[in-house]
């Protein structure tokens, strides 16, 4: 079936008890050894790092991105599986997807329970990811978890501790994995892949600010003063805030800061409905609406746009282009 390279980065799937809690400790060889291999699949390992995913930095994520490209430079590789902590998996997977130009699949997986537990989900998830990487093409970056298959774009962690941890709240399920078979339910639409960015000496700062009752521009302005080159504003409803925040957004954009507008609501698109500080005014002030992308992935989209160009107008164009793609086509199950 195929030669699959596993890139190990840590997370719960590599975690052991540390006396007061669990933390990533196992290396990639130990992680791979927990799972049976699908028939006909051979595995090679890249032991990249082993950290809890809340500790990941942009530098970690860009290292992972470059490693994926280096692995796929070998035409004999049939696919990649990335084992990753679930807390920021949606961010890393989306970053890789935005720069993924290859027909071969890159499949992210992890676990909700630490390795070695009697009811651990890591071995099954890893088996499913290997099966998916060996049997799918042309779908971009995928997430295999709890017998379900998700497109990287739009998929977020929806359960803090339950095993079925990931979903795209705004779209139908992408596919299912079971009984040694991968069944696709739809085909994701993706924008043209971005060029692989250079490794910056200091990655651009991108902050997130959430609106709420009594929300004011203090944190947004503080992010700008701290050197943020990008900001994700997490609005209420369909992407709304206040007139004072609109003015702060306008000032930030005038200073060359790339501002994206998402919402704290679980599902549905950012939509220009309301004025008096709503999405109508925020977009007019220069904020770029993110559609159905939520905060973590909106931040990755802003980061990718900042890495793509040094020119403010081009960065905005890239961000809009990245955000414009995101539909899907249903296929027969």
């Amino acid at each position: 079936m195929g030669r699959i390279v596993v890139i190990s980065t840590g997370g719960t799937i590599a975690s052991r008890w540390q006396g007061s809690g669990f933390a990533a400790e196992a290396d990639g060889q130990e992680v791979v050894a927990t799972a049976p291999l699908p028939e006909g699949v051979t595995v090679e390992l890249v032991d990249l790092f082993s950290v809890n995913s809340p500790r990941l930095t942009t530098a970690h994520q860009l290292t992972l991105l470059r490693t994926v490209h280096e692995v796929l430079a070998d035409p004999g590789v049939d696919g990649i599986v990335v084992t990753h902590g679930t807390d920021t998996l949606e961010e890393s997977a989306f970053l890789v997807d935005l720069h993924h130009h290859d027909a071969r699949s890159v499949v992210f997986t992890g676990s909700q329970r630490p390795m070695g537990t009697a009811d651990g989900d890591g071995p099954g998830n890893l088996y499913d990811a290997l099966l998916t990487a060996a049997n799918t093409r042309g779908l971009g970056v995928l997430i295999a978890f709890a017998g379900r298959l998700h497109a990287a774009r739009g998929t977020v962690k929806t359960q803090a501790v339950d095993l079925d941890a990931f979903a795209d709240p705004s779209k139908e399920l992408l596919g299912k994995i079971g009984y040694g078979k991968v069944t696709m339910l739809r085909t994701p639409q993706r924008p043209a892949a971005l060029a692989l960015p250079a490794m910056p000496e200091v990655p651009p700062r991108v902050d997130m600010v959430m609106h709420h009752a009594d929300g004011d521009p203090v944190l947004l302005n503080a992010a700008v003063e701290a050197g943020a080159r990008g900001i994700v504003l997490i609005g209420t409803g369909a992407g709304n805030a206040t007139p004072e925040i609109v003015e702060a957004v306008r000032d930030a954009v005038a200073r060359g800061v790339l501002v994206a507008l998402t919402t704290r609501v679980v599902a549905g698109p950012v939509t220009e409905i309301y004025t008096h500080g709503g999405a109508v005014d925020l977009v007019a002030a220069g904020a770029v609406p993110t559609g159905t992308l939520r905060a973590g992935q909106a931040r990755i989209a802003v980061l990718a746009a900042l890495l793509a160009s040094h020119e403010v107008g081009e960065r905005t164009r890239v961000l809009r282009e990245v955000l414009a793609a995101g539909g899907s086509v249903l296929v027969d199950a």
Side-chain angles (χ1 to χ4, degrees):
M1 286 169 58
R3 175 184 163 210
I4 306 301
V5 174
V6 175
I7 302 175
S8 177
T9 70
T12 301
I13 198 170
S15 289
R16 293 195 181 98
W17 183 252
Q18 304 295 311
S20 59
F22 291 93
E25 179 185 75
D27 61 25
Q29 186 172 358
E30 294 175 275
V31 172
V32 170
T34 65
L37 300 184
E39 185 177 354
V41 168
T42 61
V43 169
E44 298 173 17
L45 176 66
V46 176
D47 208 358
L48 196 58
F49 35 77
S50 186
V51 297
N52 293 356
S53 69
R55 294 177 57 202
L56 287 182
T57 64
T58 297
H60 281 118
Q61 293 173 318
L62 291 175
T63 298
L64 172 58
L65 172 62
R66 298 189 76 83
T67 302
V68 167
H69 280 244
E70 289 165 3
V71 169
L72 291 176
D74 181 350
V77 171
D78 293 298
I80 291 177
V81 167
V82 179
T83 57
H84 197 289
T86 58
D87 282 7
T88 57
L89 185 152
E90 66 202 56
E91 299 174 36
S92 297
F94 187 50
L95 178 66
V96 175
D97 189 56
L98 287 175
H99 299 85
H100 187 57
H101 57 79
D102 200 289
R104 292 168 289 181
S105 293
V106 178
V107 186
F108 279 68
T109 196
S111 71
Q112 290 283 76
R113 293 178 181 161
M115 70 182 308
T117 54
D119 57 353
D121 55 328
N125 286 343
L126 181 51
Y127 177 92
D128 286 351
L130 291 167
L131 186 71
T132 301
N135 286 281
T136 57
R137 292 290 184 274
L139 298 174
V141 177
L142 306 171
I143 298 170
F145 218 93
R148 296 173 180 268
L149 191 61
H150 311 277
R153 184 190 188 99
T155 296
V156 297
K157 189 172 183 180
T158 57
Q159 294 289 338
V161 295
D162 288 352
L163 298 188
D164 189 4
F166 288 91
D168 181 340
S170 298
K171 289 190 173 63
E172 306 88 351
L173 182 64
L174 183 71
K176 299 178 181 179
I177 314 160
Y179 302 101
K181 181 181 178 183
V182 179
T183 302
M184 301 307 303
L185 304 177
R186 64 180 178 93
T187 301
Q189 293 181 348
R190 304 165 56 238
L194 298 175
L196 186 66
M199 285 289 285
E201 185 174 339
V202 179
R205 180 181 181 121
V206 182
D207 289 324
M208 299 191 293
V209 178
M210 180 180 288
H211 183 55
H212 50 83
D214 279 339
D216 60 30
V218 168
L219 294 180
L220 195 152
N221 290 335
V224 174
E225 294 304 319
R229 303 312 305 151
I231 294 175
V232 176
L233 175 61
I234 308 166
T236 56
N240 305 308
T242 67
E244 293 77 15
I245 290 178
V246 170
E247 289 307 309
V249 167
R250 183 175 287 109
D251 291 344
V253 170
R255 294 175 63 168
V257 178
L258 193 55
V259 179
L261 174 65
T262 186
T263 171
R264 69 187 201 185
V265 179
V266 174
V270 172
T271 308
E272 295 171 65
I273 302 173
Y274 299 104
T275 184
H276 289 187
V280 170
D281 301 333
L282 289 164
V283 171
V288 180
T290 64
T292 58
L293 283 190
R294 290 324 187 239
Q297 292 193 340
R299 180 184 173 278
I300 291 297
V302 171
L303 174 66
L306 292 171
L307 293 170
S309 175
H310 295 292
E311 201 275 317
V312 173
E314 177 63 10
R315 287 172 166 178
T316 303
R317 186 198 67 77
V318 170
L319 179 59
R320 291 184 184 280
E321 187 173 282
V322 163
L323 295 171
S328 62
V329 178
L330 293 177
V331 298
D332 292 336

